[in-house]
Amino acid sequence: MSVLNAKGVYYRELNRQIRAQFASGVEEVRVQNVNGQRYIGDGISGSQRLILEGTPGNDLAAYMDGLELIVEGNAQDAMANTMNKGRIIVHGHAGDTVGYAMRGGEIYIRDSVGYRVGIHMKEYLDRVPAIVIGGTGGEFFGEYMAGGVLMLLGLGLADAAPIVGSYCGTGMHGGVMYIRGEVEEYKLGKEVKSVSLTAEDEEKIQHYVSEYVRYFGGDAAQILARPFNKLIPANKRPYGDLYCAW
Amino acid sequence: MTLSLSTPDFLIERNRDRCINCQVCVRQCANEAHIWDEEEQRVKSDDALCVDCQRCVTLCPTHALTIRKYPLEFRENANWSANAIKAIYKQAESGGILLTGMGNDQPYPIFWDHLLLNASQVTNPSIDPLREPMELKTFLGRKPEKLMVQDGKLVEEMPPQLELEVPIMFSAMSYGSISLNAIKSLAAAAEKTGIMYNTGEGGLHKDLYKYGKNTIVQVASGRFGVHPQYLEAGAAIEIKIGQGAKPGIGGHLPGEKVGLEVSQTRMIPEGTDAISPAPHHDIYSIEDLRQLIYSLKEATQYRKPVGVKIAAVHNIAAIASGIARAGADIIAIDGFRGGTGAAPLRTRDNVGLPIELALAAVDSRLREEGIRNQVSLVIGGSIRNSADIVKAIALGADAVYIGTAALISLGCHLCQKCNTGKCNWGIATQNPLLVKRLNPEIGAERAANLISAWEHEIKELLGGMGINAIESLRGNRLMLRGIGLSDRELSILGVMSAGE
């Protein structure tokens, strides 16, 4: 393992150093004093592990292809933009548009996330991306979602406190959301419907919850005791009848 | 089912003296406008299905077919044209948004046709390109403020540049909107002529990786097929914000066009709609655009120019200035005549700006602000011939994109039905029977011929002006005069009137 100190280092130089470490064959890099540096882990392929202490900046892990990335702090906006493969574990909150157009890999976020999380997430063959969030999600959660799994646990929420913002799943045409607890009808995009869980869903939920607990602690049985709401697209082709040929 | 009030657009005339009932037309027409009547043992036609793509006319061995405009005329009305009435019939029947293909076909002014080029007479000699060297080589990318040379070498590293033998590139057309054979044709033609083609937002098919050094890979709002290998595969990356045919709106590739190979290339399941949202949801400002530009530069370690493509809209000069300041190396601007595989009719025909005005406004603005060197300008929508290119470069473009012209070189007849997927010329279709009508080797030759022909013509025009390097024409508006334009138009174009 090698350790880098990010204090006062501009992002371009920091990212160059991280790449150089991986290129030299180091399997695990720990970066201390990360404070807002953008683009960490962008476009990096490989199965190494990258641990960030502090708060990385926007576009963390964009186009990332395989790393295991651990954030010991909060993540900012646009994390995992178009991510292809890998795993991200955030010991804190994450900002807006987490996992935009993400196509593979898994993200576990201990606390809450901002707006438009999971927007245009996709899946293809064996690549089924997942984002598991311990807290709440903002508005436009899963907008345009085309594949993958989005999960909101709402841990520690008071009874009537909202777990997700409005326009949830607007334009959704693929994938599935599991939301622990009830989502008011008015918050759902008109392209989404709520359906009951199958045995296969239960199994998936169990898997993701046990992974969450493995990373962040907690009682899986207690989390699973509260029923999950399953949201899927009402129609795989929401805009199929929108046009007529001129 | 109510009665359809739609009437045919075209009339199929079959000369019975010439027709030998060979049924070529029946087999060639994907719209099924020609039918074989088994009982009567002869070919018939259904005018209502004809789109006037001219496939049957071209292939009929006895020249028995003629397609005409359908003679039905509504009662004369200067306000309610036949198209205005027919559009309402269609929408009253379907409740749908009118969808069409190709570029704006309305009679707006075409400023290229109001610009005249200069030539040398007596006071400076013209140059004969057949005997004298003529330089069209073009480099696209950020140019440094100044060059510092030490021991015959540049002190600072040159920012990454795209090198073109001719200032022409094939504009973005995705796999999905056009066929693989059409893309292969353009990719091979680009390689042959030393220019670039552009993947559009449909990802990069595995057969096309070998054309990498002649490829611009696009990143659009749907991010289809975008991954590290894709970003590394091309010579440059282009962020697509908008296109001239449909500024401000996204795109839907219908599931019918997402077959196995399109699905593999876009990395989405077969048969699903590929929806590109109108905006990139991580870009709501110039600062956000900068973030996407630099995320791509970081991901490719600053080795490739990153461009941004936008549609020409009213505030284009300020927007372009912002994009230059956001760190783009190339700005591509698409005028309102730019083509498309599918766009809502009302958007295509009513939104945006003529590229000539947009180009002049942007070039002037970037010069005024002293940042013209920071970015290269590529324009498209629509370039119809080499004279348009020479005029564009004199107005300030570094290079042009050609899309519609490139497809016409492959056999497109501009029937504007790209959206239906029934292109009889094998271009805008994914139907394997139609796709194989376009032989990629022949296609490549035709597209390359077009580029070579235009290269010769550009040299002729340059030589006539007494210029031997395209660089000396760039932004040289003194080589242009306007004709039939208002003072205001002349001032936006930055050219004098003919006779001045």
Side-chain angles (χ1 to χ4, degrees):
Chain A
M1 188 183 85
S2 69
V3 178
L4 299 173
N5 186 354
K7 192 171 175 66
V9 181
Y10 192 53
Y11 70 76
R12 192 166 168 178
E13 173 55 22
L14 178 63
N15 292 332
R16 196 195 59 72
Q17 288 180 16
I18 294 171
R19 278 176 188 273
Q21 289 296 327
F22 287 140
S24 72
V26 175
E27 282 300 310
E28 186 174 315
V29 175
R30 176 174 281 273
V31 187
Q32 294 170 331
N33 302 311
V34 176
N35 191 7
Q37 284 95 343
R38 291 181 171 183
Y39 317 118
I40 296 175
D42 277 24
I44 298 187
S45 303
S47 56
Q48 302 94 329
R49 175 188 276 213
L50 179 61
I51 303 157
L52 307 175
E53 293 176 17
T55 306
N58 292 356
D59 264 323
L60 172 71
Y63 325 103
M64 192 176 84
D65 196 26
L67 295 187
E68 182 179 37
L69 198 153
I70 295 148
V71 181
E72 296 176 352
N74 298 320
Q76 297 194 332
D77 295 341
M79 178 174 85
N81 184 348
T82 324
M83 175 169 148
N84 207 37
K85 210 167 81 182
R87 182 175 285 250
I88 304 178
I89 297 132
V90 180
H91 293 266
H93 299 280
D96 298 339
T97 61
V98 172
Y100 175 5
M102 177 186 179
R103 185 187 300 115
E106 291 182 354
I107 300 176
Y108 293 87
I109 297 163
R110 192 190 66 197
D111 302 330
S112 295
V113 294
Y115 295 132
R116 297 188 198 275
V117 167
I119 181 170
H120 218 312
M121 226 169 136
K122 302 171 169 57
E123 65 183 61
Y124 178 60
L125 304 179
D126 57 336
R127 291 166 201 255
V128 181
I131 305 179
V132 179
I133 298 147
T136 60
E139 290 179 1
F140 295 100
F141 190 69
E143 188 184 16
Y144 279 119
M145 190 173 174
V149 179
L150 277 178
M151 196 175 215
L152 274 179
L153 299 179
L155 299 177
L157 271 190
D159 263 356
I163 186 165
V164 71
S166 297
Y167 306 103
C168 176
T170 296
M172 183 177 182
H173 53 291
V176 59
M177 292 187 207
Y178 300 113
I179 297 180
R180 187 166 160 269
E182 283 308 305
V183 183
E184 299 93 321
E185 189 68 32
Y186 79 89
K187 282 191 172 169
L188 297 183
K190 59 184 187 299
E191 295 82 6
V192 184
K193 65 178 176 190
S194 174
V195 294
S196 40
L197 299 173
T198 63
E200 197 188 332
D201 291 320
E202 302 274 8
E203 220 170 277
K204 267 200 241 176
I205 291 170
Q206 254 177 31
H207 164 75
Y208 290 120
V209 167
S210 66
E211 287 289 281
Y212 180 89
V213 168
R214 184 159 75 89
Y215 294 124
F216 307 119
D219 181 350
Q222 196 192 338
I223 295 173
L224 290 167
R226 187 153 186 208
F228 279 76
N229 200 337
K230 177 186 181 184
L231 300 176
I232 59 167
N235 180 348
K236 294 246 164 176
R237 303 191 56 187
Y239 306 115
D241 298 325
L242 193 58
Y243 301 103
C244 77
W246 169 232
Chain B
M1 184 80 184
T2 56
L3 173 70
S4 171
L5 302 183
S6 291
T7 45
D9 291 324
F10 303 102
L11 178 72
I12 303 171
E13 278 186 359
R14 185 183 308 278
N15 183 329
R16 286 287 171 197
D17 288 343
R18 291 186 181 181
C19 180
I20 52 173
N21 286 308
C22 67
Q23 300 178 54
V24 163
C25 52
V26 178
R27 288 190 294 275
Q28 289 297 325
C29 186
N31 298 299
E32 300 177 356
H34 300 288
I35 320 126
W36 174 246
D37 189 319
E38 193 61 47
E39 208 168 311
E40 293 182 25
Q41 287 288 301
R42 64 175 197 153
V43 180
K44 289 182 172 174
S45 304
D46 181 351
D47 296 322
L49 298 173
C50 177
V51 300
D52 192 19
C53 75
Q54 299 280 321
R55 179 79 185 178
C56 58
V57 176
T58 312
L59 269 77
C60 175
T62 59
H63 305 299
L65 290 165
T66 309
I67 311 292
R68 288 186 203 285
K69 229 173 132 171
Y70 199 76
L72 168 89
E73 285 187 15
F74 292 93
R75 181 176 178 134
E76 207 164 284
N77 188 321
N79 186 38
W80 287 97
S81 66
N83 278 348
I85 298 169
K86 285 181 174 185
I88 290 182
Y89 289 154
K90 281 179 193 274
Q91 295 194 292
E93 281 161 27
S94 66
I97 296 170
L98 293 166
L99 195 68
T100 186
M102 276 304 167
N104 188 334
D105 62 1
Q106 298 300 300
Y108 294 102
I110 298 172
F111 289 92
W112 302 130
D113 297 338
H114 291 269
L115 290 168
L116 296 169
L117 292 166
N118 195 24
S120 300
Q121 295 293 295
V122 184
T123 53
N124 60 336
S126 49
I127 301 169
D128 179 357
L130 297 178
R131 292 184 294 103
E132 296 188 53
M134 193 63 85
E135 183 71 65
L136 297 192
K137 188 168 280 241
T138 296
F139 291 92
L140 301 181
R142 175 173 299 246
K143 308 294 186 293
E145 298 287 329
K146 58 181 180 206
L147 290 179
M148 298 226 294
V149 180
Q150 209 167 40
D151 305 327
K153 290 218 167 82
L154 283 179
V155 175
E156 277 176 69
E157 213 181 316
M158 192 74 175
Q161 305 285 321
L162 266 190
E163 186 177 341
L164 305 175
E165 294 301 321
V166 195
I168 308 173
M169 304 191 284
F170 297 128
S171 50
M173 288 174 275
S174 71
Y175 178 37
S177 77
I178 61 172
S179 67
L180 189 57
N181 282 359
I183 300 177
K184 282 181 177 170
S185 301
L186 298 179
E191 186 181 51
K192 233 176 188 173
T193 53
I195 63 169
M196 301 286 152
Y197 83 100
N198 186 314
T199 61
E201 57 174 311
L204 189 62
H205 188 273
K206 56 187 186 310
D207 293 356
L208 297 167
Y209 273 78
K210 63 180 177 192
Y211 298 109
K213 69 178 183 10
N214 298 95
T215 306
I216 297 178
V217 296
Q218 209 178 48
V219 174
S221 65
R223 307 283 160 82
F224 296 111
V226 175
H227 47 76
Q229 292 76 25
Y230 170 83
L231 297 175
E232 285 294 344
I237 299 169
E238 181 175 86
I239 297 169
K240 179 198 174 180
I241 300 292
Q243 77 184 81
K246 43 179 169 178
I249 64 170
H252 298 168
L253 184 71
E256 292 85 3
K257 293 189 187 177
V258 184
L260 178 66
E261 295 205 27
V262 171
S263 119
Q264 287 168 346
T265 307
R266 294 201 175 215
M267 303 175 89
I268 53 169
E270 257 185 275
T272 55
D273 287 351
I275 297 178
S276 290
H280 288 248
H281 279 294
D282 51 354
I283 305 179
Y284 289 178
S285 66
I286 292 292
E287 291 76 9
D288 290 349
L289 175 66
R290 182 180 182 81
Q291 189 175 311
L292 184 61
I293 291 171
Y294 276 86
S295 81
L296 291 165
K297 289 189 175 192
E298 277 287 333
T300 51
Q301 295 172 68
Y302 300 87
R303 286 188 298 239
K304 295 169 196 297
V306 175
V308 175
K309 177 178 176 176
I310 47 171
V313 292
H314 297 178
N315 203 18
I316 187 75
I319 297 165
S321 165
I323 294 172
R325 291 167 195 281
D329 300 295
I330 301 165
I331 302 177
I333 308 173
D334 198 13
F336 77 158
R337 282 205 180 75
T340 177
L345 180 74
R346 299 304 174 207
T347 301
R348 188 196 74 171
D349 290 354
N350 295 285
V351 182
L353 286 185
I355 191 59
E356 303 91 319
L357 298 179
L359 165 60
V362 168
D363 180 67
S364 301
R365 177 72 170 257
L366 297 181
R367 281 172 196 280
E368 280 163 25
E369 294 183 359
I371 55 173
R372 182 65 183 82
N373 65 296
Q374 290 186 18
V375 73
S376 291
L377 281 183
V378 180
I379 62 106
S382 81
I383 294 289
R384 303 157 302 167
N385 53 52
S386 59
D388 289 353
I389 298 174
V390 173
K391 291 170 188 176
I393 289 177
L395 275 181
D398 288 284
V400 302
Y401 263 139
I402 59 167
T404 304
L407 297 188
I408 293 174
S409 82
L410 302 182
C412 166
H413 280 58
L414 275 179
C415 73
Q416 308 189 20
K417 295 288 178 188
C418 321
N419 52 302
T420 64
K422 293 181 185 171
C423 176
N424 279 320
W425 296 93
I427 299 168
T429 178
Q430 300 305 322
N431 176 341
L433 293 174
L434 300 176
V435 172
K436 73 175 187 192
R437 292 181 184 178
L438 177 62
N439 176 325
E441 279 165 32
I442 296 172
E445 200 181 315
R446 293 181 63 94
N449 280 344
L450 179 73
I451 300 300
S452 308
W454 285 6
E455 177 182 356
H456 289 305
E457 289 181 338
I458 293 169
K459 287 179 175 173
E460 288 283 351
L461 289 167
L462 281 185
M465 287 184 253
I467 291 174
N468 64 2
I470 194 91
E471 208 53 52
S472 310
L473 179 70
R474 212 152 260 141
N476 187 349
R477 298 190 194 177
L478 286 172
M479 291 296 126
L480 298 170
R481 291 290 187 276
I483 187 158
L485 296 173
S486 69
D487 281 352
R488 189 92 186 120
E489 288 163 335
L490 288 170
S491 104
I492 292 165
L493 288 166
V495 300
M496 289 189 280
S497 171
E500 281 187 301

